[in-house]
Amino acid sequence: MGFGISPMDVNELDEVQTIEEGFRKAYVGDLKGTVEAVDKLKGFALQLIPLDANAENELDIKALIISIGDIARVSAEMKMEQACSVSSRVLGDIALKAASQKREPVAIKALSIIGSLALEFAGKGLDEAARSATESLGTCGKGSSRMKMETMMSLSEVYLMQVSMISIEKRLQKAGIASIGYIGEIGTASAKQAIETCTLEAAVILEDLGNAAVRENNESCAKAVIEALENLGIEVSQGGMKNVLVQIAWSLEMIRVLTLDRGMKEACFAAKDALESINTAGLLDAEQNLEKIREIKEFHSFILKKS
């Protein structure tokens, strides 16, 4: 080490060199080198997160997060889906570590980068890379539900909804089915934590995705929505969230009618079976249900504006 160079300066120089190396390896299509650089950047970020949350520290971590995202974008251009997947996983690890350390701005920054990458991967038709990004979004959403960080939960759901819509339209079955499933899992995790707003948000989003899948004649995604709603309904019926249960029953019935009209027999039967499996005993009477549905539809409009 030369005179006048502090350990902090050396570490910052190492970070910069690793970022440059990551870009070089990505631009020439070197998968192994790209993945090694991304993993090294993850190590730098995880070391910084437990330190004092001052402005310089936060700026440094966010710079690392942005660099990982940018390397992932270059990897997408080079069709290196494995490098894209690793980048999404690394960003998910950083987001959850930051959330566990109460560094919510850092966690949200990492989550936002994952979401934007997921949309970009889906838009480019990179099914496996988009699926991996949705896995990171889902893991972050479920993890933040245990910490009762509602902003992160809601953000995860909205990004997953957007990825699902693109995947349904582009017939990206891996990403579409995975993202739908993770929305349901975040809803179920929210129900277990008695966070009704996020549980209801998941149910409303799933109804929209079910409608979109039927419109696009995508029966696999329609069935994935029905399964997610059924699992969510079973959890909700045990927790006494009647408003959410009304929404789920309504959603399943609407999807059942649509699939019947479109001749999607398997999805139609699945929706019918799902309705029968949900415990709707003790629900409000018909007039009260209609009123609750009106309230839910207003909430529905609010959610869609967020996307």
Side-chain angles (χ1 to χ4, degrees), residues 205-254:
I205 288 171
L206 286 170
E207 181 188 337
D208 265 7
L209 294 175
N211 294 340
V214 175
R215 281 197 309 271
E216 295 292 330
N217 202 35
N218 192 326
E219 191 160 21
S220 296
C221 284
K223 287 166 67 178
V225 168
I226 291 163
E227 182 181 354
L229 282 167
E230 180 178 10
N231 292 338
L232 183 56
I234 290 168
E235 181 64 39
V236 165
S237 67
Q238 296 170 353
M241 293 183 183
K242 288 187 177 181
N243 287 357
V244 184
L245 197 54
V246 169
Q247 167 65 38
I248 292 169
W250 168 271
S251 298
L252 284 168
E253 177 59 16
M254 291 300 99

Side-chain angles (χ1 to χ4, degrees), residues 75-240:
S75 300
E77 292 293 337
M78 302 300 294
K79 307 296 183 187
M80 289 196 298
E81 291 199 64
Q82 190 176 339
C84 296
S85 298
V86 169
S87 299
S88 298
R89 174 183 55 75
V90 161
L91 287 167
D93 292 344
I94 293 170
L96 285 174
K97 177 69 173 181
S100 71
Q101 296 287 318
K102 308 300 181 188
R103 301 287 299 273
E104 189 170 18
V106 171
I108 288 173
K109 182 65 178 178
L111 185 61
S112 298
I113 297 289
I114 300 168
S116 64
L117 287 174
L119 293 171
E120 187 167 334
F121 297 158
K124 291 180 182 296
L126 303 175
D127 197 3
E128 182 57 40
R131 186 206 62 76
S132 296
T134 64
E135 182 178 357
S136 289
L137 287 170
T139 301
C140 287
K142 290 186 289 182
S144 56
S145 73
R146 290 190 290 273
M147 296 178 243
K148 298 195 173 182
M149 299 176 75
E150 293 190 33
T151 301
M152 283 188 67
M153 293 161 62
S154 182
L155 191 59
S156 298
E157 288 178 333
V158 169
Y159 274 124
L160 285 166
M161 176 183 70
Q162 292 172 331
V163 175
S164 299
M165 286 292 192
I166 294 172
S167 299
I168 288 168
E169 291 171 7
K170 287 182 168 286
R171 298 276 170 176
L172 303 178
Q173 297 297 80
K174 290 180 183 178
I177 291 170
S179 53
I180 289 164
Y182 286 121
I183 292 167
E185 289 180 25
I186 294 171
T188 299
S190 302
K192 287 178 179 176
Q193 296 293 330
I195 306 172
E196 185 165 347
T197 303
C198 289
T199 309
L200 180 57
E201 183 168 283
V204 168
I205 288 171
L206 286 170
E207 181 188 337
D208 265 7
L209 294 175
N211 294 340
V214 175
R215 281 197 309 271
E216 295 292 330
N217 202 35
N218 192 326
E219 191 160 21
S220 296
C221 284
K223 287 166 67 178
V225 168
I226 291 163
E227 182 181 354
L229 282 167
E230 180 178 10
N231 292 338
L232 183 56
I234 290 168
E235 181 64 39
V236 165
S237 67
Q238 296 170 353

